[in-house]
């Protein structure tokens, strides 16, 4: 599969050790998006102390989604060149000093006027996957030894602004509330990314509409590539696809001579990590917790020597029903 080149050539060398869960998750997600099997999220929160690399990670996601070729780190297509030179017309920084309208002279906060500018820009059609990357910023001159990540990923170091986490002082509730409509109902192929130390620094109504990823080092993580490919519809598993999913997992186990309980435990670990990443989304948390119970029941059925087909048919039917 051509788009797995992204995982091998781009992310593996830089982000796999820095952000292993997010690296693994998005590597597989982008392959599914490129095959039109899944949509890319419309709103993301990246939380953690390393805001500079959060920013680079967001730029790489935008670059791959807009790349006209195979997403290789050395791609020379016009979109990759624009993004690496920080000049792409639809990959936008939003901070106190970026994405300002003509009459917006505020310098200390991301303003309501900027939210209006975003809404205005979204009213125009676009052939690109639009990104709005939110962070706090001020004018800054960098030393030669700084921005090493930019150099490693072949991004221009010619920037004159800091990359700092959002907080209530710079990104206040009035602006966040003005953005709600744009975040809830954006045009297709539009993604908002918020960079912060903690999701608690962003209004809860925004957090509930985002997928949250803790971009911090994690030494031990599980590879979910095959699991994610098979359950790419999650959490929207329904009656139409639940039995196909059951058949896929049965074939996967048979073809690879895997133990059923091992695969069920991989599904559990995937759901547990997804739960941790979205702990502030009460609706999704309720869904995942319920599905974790259903998978645990399936493990009990396996230990009781129930037939594999019954185990997976029952499990995915319950997940589709929600009980």
């Amino acid at each position: 599969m051509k788009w797995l080149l992204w995982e091998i050539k781009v992310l593996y060398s830089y982000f796999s050790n820095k952000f292993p869960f997010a690296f693994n998750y998005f590597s597989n997600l982008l392959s599914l998006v490129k095959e039109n099997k899944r949509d890319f999220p419309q709103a993301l929160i990246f939380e953690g102390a390393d805001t500079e690399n959060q920013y680079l990670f967001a730029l790489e996601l935008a670059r791959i989604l807009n790349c006209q070729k195979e997403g290789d780190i050395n791609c020379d297509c016009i979109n990759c060149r624009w993004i690496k030179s920080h000049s792409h017309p639809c990959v936008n920084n939003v901070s106190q000093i970026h994405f300002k309208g003509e009459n917006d002279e505020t310098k200390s906060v991301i303003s309501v006027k900027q939210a209006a500018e975003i809404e205005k820009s979204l009213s125009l059609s676009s052939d690109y996957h639009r990104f709005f990357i939110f962070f706090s910023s001020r004018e800054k001159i960098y030393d030669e030894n700084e921005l090493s990540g930019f150099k490693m990923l072949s991004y221009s170091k010619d920037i004159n602004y800091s990359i700092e986490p959002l907080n209530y002082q710079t990104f206040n509730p009035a602006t966040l509330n003005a953005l709600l409509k744009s975040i809830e109902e954006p045009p297709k192929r539009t993604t908002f990314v918020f960079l912060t130390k903690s999701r608690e620094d962003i209004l809860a109504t925004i957090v509930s509409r985002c997928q949250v990823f803790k971009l911090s080092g994690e030494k031990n993580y599980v590879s979910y590539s095959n699991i994610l490919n098979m359950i790419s519809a999650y959490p929207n598993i329904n009656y139409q696809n639940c039995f196909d999913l059951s058949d896929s997992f049965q074939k996967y186990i048979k073809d690879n001579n895997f133990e059923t309980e091992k695969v069920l435990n991989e599904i559990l670990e995937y759901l547990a990590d997804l739960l941790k990443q979205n702990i502030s989304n009460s609706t999704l948390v309720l869904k995942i917790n319920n599905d974790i119970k259903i998978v645990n029941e399936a493990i009990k059925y396996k230990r009781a020597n129930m037939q594999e087909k019954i185990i997976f048919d029952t499990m995915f039917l319950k997940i589709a029903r929600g009980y």
Side-chain angles (χ1 to χ4, degrees), residues 41-53:
Q42 62 192 41
L44 298 166
I45 291 175
F46 292 161
E47 66 174 357
D50 193 353
T51 312
E52 180 183 309
N53 277 309

Side-chain angles (χ1 to χ4, degrees), residues 136-193:
S136 294
S137 190
R138 53 190 168 80
E139 293 181 1
K140 180 177 179 177
I141 298 174
Y142 287 90
D143 296 333
E144 179 64 29
N145 295 328
E146 295 183 286
L147 299 177
S148 58
F150 285 74
K151 182 178 180 181
M152 289 182 68
L153 293 176
S154 303
Y155 278 79
S156 171
K157 293 173 62 177
D158 187 21
I159 63 174
N160 58 359
Y161 52 86
S162 64
I163 305 162
E164 301 173 23
L166 297 166
N167 56 55
Y168 271 118
Q169 284 70 46
T170 58
F171 199 30
N172 58 56
T175 303
L176 285 162
N177 281 321
L179 280 168
L180 273 178
K181 182 180 178 182
S182 296
I183 294 171
E184 286 179 330
E185 301 174 358
K188 288 185 177 180
R189 302 183 72 218
T190 300
T191 298
F192 296 85
V193 185

Side-chain angles (χ1 to χ4, degrees), residues 272-284:
D273 271 331
L274 200 60
L275 181 68
K276 285 189 291 185
Q277 302 297 328
N278 292 277
I279 198 67
S280 298
N281 187 331
S282 58
T283 302
L284 187 55

Side-chain angles (χ1 to χ4, degrees), residues 4-134:
L4 288 181
L5 287 170
W6 183 67
E7 176 180 350
I8 296 168
K9 294 185 177 180
V10 184
L11 286 186
Y12 184 77
S13 61
Y14 189 77
F15 288 114
S16 63
N17 292 323
K18 292 182 179 297
F19 308 137
F21 178 84
F23 154 75
N24 192 51
Y25 182 89
F26 283 103
S27 293
N28 290 291
L29 175 61
L30 282 174
S31 293
L32 297 172
V33 170
K34 289 296 179 178
E35 293 173 346
N36 295 315
K37 292 181 179 178
R38 191 164 174 184
D39 292 330
F40 196 80
Q42 62 192 41
L44 298 166
I45 291 175
F46 292 161
E47 66 174 357
D50 193 353
T51 312
E52 180 183 309
N53 277 309
Q54 289 176 4
Y55 178 67
L56 271 174
F57 193 74
L59 287 176
E60 275 296 277
L61 295 176
R63 186 181 72 79
I64 300 302
L65 287 166
N66 284 293
C67 182
Q68 296 171 332
K69 298 182 181 179
E70 294 181 357
D72 188 272
I73 186 66
N74 297 313
C75 179
D76 63 351
C77 77
I78 184 64
N79 284 338
C80 287
R81 293 204 305 270
W82 274 344
I83 291 172
K84 288 192 173 187
S85 63
H86 313 289
S87 59
H88 196 284
C90 287
V91 178
N92 304 285
N93 295 334
V94 184
S95 77
Q96 301 97 308
I97 59 176
H98 296 100
F99 211 82
K100 310 287 283 187
E102 290 183 4
N103 299 315
D104 188 354
E105 298 180 358
T106 57
K107 291 289 184 70
S108 59
V109 297
I110 299 172
S111 69
V112 173
K113 289 182 178 180
Q114 285 169 277
E117 283 294 313
I118 290 171
E119 186 173 1
K120 179 180 175 181
S121 73
L122 290 177
S123 67
L124 305 174
S125 62
S126 173
D127 293 329
Y128 305 112
H129 190 120
R130 290 183 275 207
F131 263 65
F132 296 90
I133 306 172
F134 291 75

